[in-house]
Amino acid sequence: MGIVQRDGFKLTIVSYIGLILGYVNKVLLFPNFLSTEEVGLTNIMINISVIYAQFSALGLNGVVLRFFPFFKDEEKKHHGFLFWVSIIMSFGFVLTTVAFITLKPFVVAHYSVSAKLLVDYYYYIIPLGFATVYFQLYDSYLRSLLKTVIPSFLNEVVLRMLVTVAVTLYALKVVDFHQFVMIYVGVNCCLAVLTIIYAAYIRQLFLKPLFTKRVKRFSKSMFGYGLYSILASSGNALITNVDALMIAALMGDQLVHGNKVGGMYFVGIYTTVFFFTTVMLIPYRSILKITSPFVAQHWKERNMKAMEKLYKQVTAVCLVIGTVVFLGVWADFDDIFSFMPKQFSSGKYVFLFLSLGRLFDMTAGLNGVITYTSRKYKYDLMLTLLLVVLTIGLNYVFIRILDMGMNGAAIATSISIIVYNLLKLLLVNKFFKIQPFERSNIWVLMIGGICFALNSFLPFLGNIYLDMLVRSVMIGALFMGSILFFRIAPDVNDFVIKSLKTFGIRLRFLEE
């Protein structure tokens, strides 16, 4: 875990700097200077671009993680690996774009009333999808080279700084909303360009066409894996983004405080609250970026003992971090949302329901990576397709039939995530005889539950800033203090000990 802890620490620092910038954008700027519908548009455009990118990539992001270790040879320019995946992905982007343009009449028919802004800015999603697919491909490539910090810095920090500039220009009325959207799309495109420039800077931008014996040997396996991977990755993108699309389509023409609003109004609230659930995923994604190449390496070496050890370590660490972040945000939720227009506070239970699903996703650890990088990846595809159907069905039932609106979408999404991960856990255990849980995980959940209940008894202290500080310190200290004192998660203790030693601090009770 040495490399994982070191780079994980760097990535977490980068991610939380990005989180501060994200907070400025999502909490202080977007809701206060854009209308709720405009907030919904900017967020749903990103959601659609993620789906767009997954179809465009033709499963190549998974192919890179799975097969690059067999091509890695800097002297031989990695056997032309980057060139071939870039060419194939470009072809996939063209096919997806043709399909996207063809679907315009369908979108107009279903969204022209409830989400007119989405129809008006439909074609702006094409360059967003282009930028997203190229960034994801080169991010996967750099991850396989164990170069994870700079791409994350570009995505988490630089991009959000540029977005801050864009929304500030709009807030100061330097640009109108149409110009703001153009700038917003442009800064997202800059992310892909900067990532490619970084690959060239570290002398890993090998785009010369090479057709070596290695390429010929693995081409059939890569093609087969890619076919399954495209469906699996596209399915995952649909599972995590379809809720916002269905809210936009199914929640139009509703009265809120005497005013008729469309689906984009609710998308603006839902996707803003959704941002806070991503706070929990920041350390998980950082660790996942670093550990994915190690999983591929363990498969190459057929080292299942190392795989199981890594599996348990990631689950233990992510459960602790995910729980403490959830408790921190939940404790301060009302204070945080007091900085935003009142309508956004209606998403409080959206956050709660989504967080439960995300926490279970983190707790499941590496099950997804282990499955889709193994020879049993076809089962991962079947589970994904099943969950796509389940997610769409549950969202329709909870949003439209049960008329639960945004809360229904959050419940449906969390149920889908939990079922999906349960099935994957069973799959990994059945085929590889490994599972990520230990008895200590139960203690983490129990301590988290106590802290969650305790928060409801804490009175408001009269001052927002003081209330946020006291709640965060009390809940965080109680939870993390218990975890560290009783050594419930040894890897967390080890990480804290090493971090404190860098500042010359030594706490003996942590080492006992």
Side-chain angles (χ1 to χ4, degrees):
M1 286 286 285
I3 296 176
V4 175
Q5 288 181 342
R6 184 180 66 248
D7 284 356
F9 177 74
K10 293 178 182 178
L11 285 173
T12 300
I13 294 297
V14 166
S15 296
Y16 279 104
I17 293 173
L19 173 63
I20 295 172
L21 292 170
Y23 177 85
V24 171
N25 293 337
K26 295 288 187 178
V27 176
L28 303 181
L29 296 180
F30 274 65
N32 289 298
F33 293 103
L34 276 68
S35 70
T36 309
E37 289 82 359
E38 290 169 345
V39 172
L41 174 67
T42 56
N43 290 336
I44 204 169
M45 286 175 68
I46 297 297
N47 288 14
I48 297 172
S49 72
V50 171
I51 299 173
Y52 197 117
Q54 292 306 318
F55 281 100
S56 298
L58 298 179
L60 288 172
N61 294 324
V63 168
V64 171
L65 292 173
R66 175 71 176 84
F67 289 95
F68 184 75
F70 298 97
F71 289 82
K72 189 175 180 181
D73 189 334
E74 189 170 345
E75 291 184 1
K76 296 182 179 180
K77 303 184 186 304
H78 307 312
H79 299 273
F81 185 86
L82 183 60
F83 170 80
W84 292 113
V85 294
S86 297
I87 289 295
I88 296 170
M89 188 197 67
S90 299
F91 176 70
F93 174 77
V94 172
L95 290 179
T96 304
T97 301
V98 171
F100 186 76
I101 294 172
T102 304
L103 286 172
K104 176 71 181 292
F106 174 85
V107 173
V108 171
H110 289 81
Y111 290 89
S112 58
V113 176
S114 61
K116 186 178 182 299
L117 276 177
L118 177 60
V119 175
D120 293 342
Y121 289 93
Y122 185 77
Y123 290 117
Y124 285 74
I125 296 171
I126 294 176
L128 262 182
F130 181 80
T132 304
V133 70
Y134 265 91
F135 170 74
Q136 289 181 352
L137 176 69
Y138 278 80
D139 181 52
S140 296
Y141 172 64
L142 291 167
R143 282 165 59 187
S144 296
L145 291 168
L146 303 183
K147 302 292 184 180
T148 57
V149 177
I150 297 300
S152 293
F153 176 77
L154 295 174
N155 186 38
E156 303 290 344
V157 178
V158 175
L159 175 61
R160 288 176 177 173
M161 289 177 64
L162 293 174
V163 171
T164 302
V165 172
V167 73
T168 301
L169 291 174
Y170 179 68
L172 296 174
K173 298 183 179 180
V174 176
V175 299
D176 59 25
F177 182 70
H178 178 72
Q179 292 169 325
F180 163 74
V181 173
M182 294 177 65
I183 297 171
Y184 184 72
V185 171
V187 298
N188 277 275
C189 291
C190 288
L191 174 63
V193 174
L194 291 172
T195 306
I196 295 172
I197 290 173
Y198 173 66
Y201 175 76
I202 61 173
R203 302 179 185 276
Q204 295 295 327
L205 191 64
F206 301 128
L207 293 175
K208 183 178 180 180
L210 298 173
F211 195 76
T212 64
K213 292 181 179 179
R214 191 69 56 89
V215 174
K216 185 177 180 180
R217 175 187 171 190
F218 285 97
S219 58
K220 184 177 179 180
S221 298
M222 291 168 63
F223 178 77
Y225 185 83
L227 285 177
Y228 286 97
S229 184
I230 181 177
L231 295 174
S233 59
S234 300
N236 281 321
L238 284 170
I239 290 168
T240 54
N241 294 285
V242 75
D243 47 1
L245 290 171
M246 295 188 71
I247 288 172
L250 300 176
M251 292 189 66
D253 292 330
Q254 296 194 27
L255 288 176
V256 177
H257 304 303
N259 298 314
K260 184 178 287 187
V261 298
M264 293 302 288
Y265 174 90
F266 297 103
V267 171
I269 297 172
Y270 185 89
T271 52
T272 298
V273 174
F274 187 89
F275 163 75
F276 288 92
T277 68
T278 63
V279 175
M280 297 170 57
L281 296 176
I282 287 174
Y284 173 61
R285 287 172 176 169
S286 299
I287 292 174
L288 208 62
K289 284 182 179 181
I290 301 162
T291 54
S292 294
F294 288 96
V295 172
Q297 190 66 32
H298 292 331
W299 280 127
K300 181 181 177 182
E301 298 170 353
R302 299 182 181 180
N303 189 345
M304 294 308 297
K305 287 186 177 181
M307 184 83 78
E308 183 174 23
K309 180 181 179 182
L310 184 63
Y311 197 16
K312 290 180 181 294
Q313 288 174 321
V314 169
T315 289
V317 171
C318 287
L319 177 59
V320 170
I321 296 176
T323 303
V324 73
V325 174
F326 163 70
L327 290 171
V329 176
W330 179 255
D332 293 331
F333 190 92
D334 293 331
D335 293 330
I336 293 171
F337 275 70
S338 66
F339 295 104
M340 305 164 67
K342 291 182 178 180
Q343 63 265 28
F344 285 89
S345 62
S346 62
K348 181 173 184 177
Y349 289 98
V350 169
F351 171 76
L352 175 62
F353 297 134
L354 286 175
S355 294
L356 294 177
R358 293 300 175 193
L359 185 60
F360 191 84
D361 189 29
M362 294 178 66
T363 303
L366 291 173
N367 61 1
V369 180
I370 291 172
T371 305
Y372 73 69
T373 56
S374 73
R375 294 182 179 180
K376 302 295 182 180
Y377 61 85
K378 296 180 181 180
Y379 289 92
D380 184 67
L381 167 64
M382 290 187 286
L383 292 180
T384 300
L385 295 178
L386 172 65
L387 263 294
V388 169
V389 176
L390 179 64
T391 301
I392 294 173
L394 286 175
N395 270 278
Y396 185 83
V397 169
F398 279 93
I399 297 172
R400 174 59 65 85
I401 298 177
L402 298 180
D403 195 25
M404 295 181 66
M406 295 184 297
N407 288 337
I411 293 171
T413 299
S414 286
I415 291 174
S416 299
I417 291 172
I418 292 170
V419 171
Y420 184 50
N421 279 284
L422 279 173
L423 292 175
K424 279 191 175 183
L425 286 167
L426 293 173
L427 185 69
V428 171
N429 187 56
K430 177 180 178 180
F431 288 114
F432 312 121
K433 309 303 179 186
I434 58 175
Q435 58 86 23
F437 301 117
E438 297 178 302
R439 290 183 179 179
S440 58
N441 301 147
I442 298 175
W443 288 106
V444 174
L445 294 175
M446 290 178 63
I447 295 171
I450 293 171
C451 293
F452 179 85
L454 177 63
N455 175 68
S456 63
F457 292 101
L458 296 178
F460 178 64
L461 299 180
N463 181 280
I464 292 175
Y465 302 100
L466 178 62
D467 192 66
M468 291 176 65
L469 177 63
V470 172
R471 286 177 183 273
S472 298
V473 171
M474 286 187 64
I475 298 299
L478 177 61
F479 179 78
M480 287 305 301
S482 300
I483 297 296
L484 295 172
F485 182 79
F486 295 107
R487 294 189 61 84
I488 294 173
D491 282 301
V492 174
N493 278 60
D494 293 342
F495 175 73
V496 172
I497 290 170
K498 290 179 182 178
S499 299
L500 292 176
K501 281 184 177 179
T502 61
F503 297 99
I505 302 173
R506 185 175 181 181
L507 301 177
R508 292 186 179 278
F509 79 90
L510 293 178
E511 302 175 19
E512 294 177 356

